[in-house]
Amino acid sequence: MSSKKQNTHLFGELDKQIRVMSANSVLLSHSVAEKVGIHPTDLECVDFLYLYGDLPAGKLATLTGLTTGAITAVIDRLEKKGFVKRKHDKNDRRKIIVMLNKQKTDTMITSHYLTLGSEMNKLYKHCTSAQIKTLLTFITKANAIAAKEIANLKY
């Protein structure tokens, strides 16, 4: 097989596996959200807060591609369940900062990801530092492309 044909085949396989990974991620989020008793979108918002820390409601809306009205409903639901609380930004009282209740999140949500985390850590140990760096670069760029697409779809 020529190098060009081999690359075309590899690109196709990579695309397929990324799509499978994406689908698995969505399905896993839906399953965990169902177990916890929240909407899958709410779970993703919790994850963004877990990853990035306290965020202005507007930034959370931008990250998710939700309107400000929709993100307000998400925050309302999460606050009612005890996963987040709101506070006014000390520099601009019009801004609302969404703060994660990490203890509640760890108790109710993180436990559902322990096996996955353990298995992924085993997988990471089979990779060299160079491979991890390559994967990290690729995934970081892929996430930027996806974030741009979310923003484009919003408008």
Side-chain angles (χ1 to χ4, degrees):
M1 185 180 316
S2 74
S3 178
K4 192 171 188 171
K5 281 186 181 180
Q6 184 178 13
N7 281 347
T8 300
H9 174 74
L10 288 173
F11 293 155
E13 280 302 306
L14 180 59
D15 185 58
K16 177 181 175 182
Q17 290 305 315
I18 289 170
R19 290 174 64 191
V20 169
M21 185 170 63
S22 175
N24 284 334
S25 179
V26 168
L27 295 171
L28 178 63
S29 289
H30 278 257
S31 296
V32 171
E34 187 175 302
K35 287 214 178 273
V36 175
I38 62 177
H39 190 277
T41 300
D42 300 358
L43 179 67
E44 297 308 322
C45 288
V46 167
D47 202 25
F48 277 129
L49 290 165
Y50 201 90
L51 293 168
Y52 297 118
D54 301 345
L55 291 171
K59 177 67 174 174
L60 198 53
T62 299
L63 286 169
T64 58
L66 296 173
T67 65
T68 54
I71 205 68
T72 297
V74 168
I75 296 165
D76 288 345
R77 291 190 301 265
L78 288 172
E79 190 171 45
K80 186 175 180 181
K81 294 274 188 173
F83 287 105
V84 302
K85 63 181 178 177
R86 292 172 164 102
K87 76 172 183 178
H88 287 279
D89 185 305
K90 51 185 148 190
N91 297 322
D92 182 352
R93 294 209 28 93
R94 294 169 296 174
K95 275 189 185 176
I96 298 295
I97 305 298
V98 184
M99 302 179 341
L100 183 67
N101 179 341
K102 195 165 179 316
Q103 183 178 1
K104 173 97 174 191
T105 301
D106 286 344
T107 302
M108 298 290 297
I109 296 174
T110 306
S111 61
H112 296 291
Y113 292 99
L114 293 177
T115 302
L116 175 64
S118 175
E119 292 300 313
M120 292 304 293
N121 282 327
K122 288 177 190 174
L123 182 59
Y124 300 151
K125 290 178 182 174
H126 292 283
C127 297
T128 65
S129 292
Q131 289 170 324
I132 296 292
K133 286 177 185 175
T134 299
L135 287 168
L136 186 57
T137 298
F138 178 86
I139 292 169
T140 300
K141 288 179 180 181
N143 284 334
I145 291 167
K148 186 176 178 182
E149 228 13 64
I150 290 167
N152 287 341
L153 288 169
K154 183 177 177 183
Y155 299 105

